[in-house]
């Protein structure tokens, strides 16, 4: 059984930082690309960041220079370090792994206030 569990969301003032974690069970992160998505109310889900098994990364234009995706293979965990948070970053953030099937966590809520 594959499970992805996100944590680290919460309330933060604009300009602050949060670090999200996604811990996987039943799947090996080190040989898979991991994605962070987010979805705000009334908006489409969008891809925020990707880290591949080769450690190449992708970031949405809206978060470039502010967010950093990383991995700790020993902990089977992927992180999303979010700096200089903006109110428009408010969303439910979910991690995703595509390994034959498409696996999703339930998400963690990030709320950024002024």
């Amino acid at each position: 059984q594959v499970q992805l569990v996100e944590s680290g969301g919460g309330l933060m003032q604009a300009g602050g930082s949060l670090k999200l974690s996604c811990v996987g069970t039943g799947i090996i992160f080190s040989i898979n690309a991991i994605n962070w998505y987010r979805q705000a109310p009334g908006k489409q889900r969008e891809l925020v960041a990707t880290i591949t098994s080769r450690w190449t990364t992708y970031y949405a234009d809206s978060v470039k220079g502010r967010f950093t995706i990383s991995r700790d293979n020993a902990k089977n965990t992927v992180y999303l370090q979010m700096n200089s948070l903006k109110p428009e970053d408010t969303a439910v953030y979910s991690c995703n792994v595509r390994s034959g099937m498409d696996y999703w966590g339930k998400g963690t809520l990030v709320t950024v206030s002024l």
Side-chain angles (χ1 to χ4, degrees):
Q1 178 69 39
V2 174
Q3 291 185 337
L4 304 175
V5 180
E6 303 95 337
S7 63
L11 300 174
M12 182 59 63
Q13 288 185 297
S17 298
L18 288 171
K19 188 174 184 178
L20 307 183
S21 299
C22 174
V23 180
T25 57
I27 191 167
I28 302 174
F29 277 10
S30 63
I31 60 172
N32 287 282
I34 314 296
N35 309 298
W36 281 100
Y37 285 83
R38 69 185 181 187
Q39 187 168 26
K43 298 185 68 177
Q44 292 273 44
R45 183 186 66 195
E46 64 174 332
L47 178 63
V48 176
T50 298
I51 185 165
T52 73
S53 61
R54 294 172 58 88
W55 291 78
T56 57
T57 57
Y58 162 85
Y59 299 96
D61 288 343
S62 58
V63 307
K64 283 182 179 177
R66 300 188 297 120
F67 290 10
T68 302
I69 188 169
S70 62
R71 299 191 303 181
D72 185 337
N73 289 337
K75 296 181 178 180
N76 219 44
T77 300
V78 171
Y79 304 98
L80 186 67
Q81 177 67 50
M82 306 185 297
N83 298 326
S84 302
L85 284 163
K86 303 175 180 179
E88 52 263 43
D89 295 320
T90 296
V92 174
Y93 286 73
S94 303
C95 63
N96 160 257
V97 183
R98 296 186 174 94
S99 180
M101 295 183 64
D102 200 13
Y103 301 102
W104 294 89
K106 293 184 178 180
T108 184
L109 176 63
V110 172
T111 303
V112 184
S113 66
L114 291 172

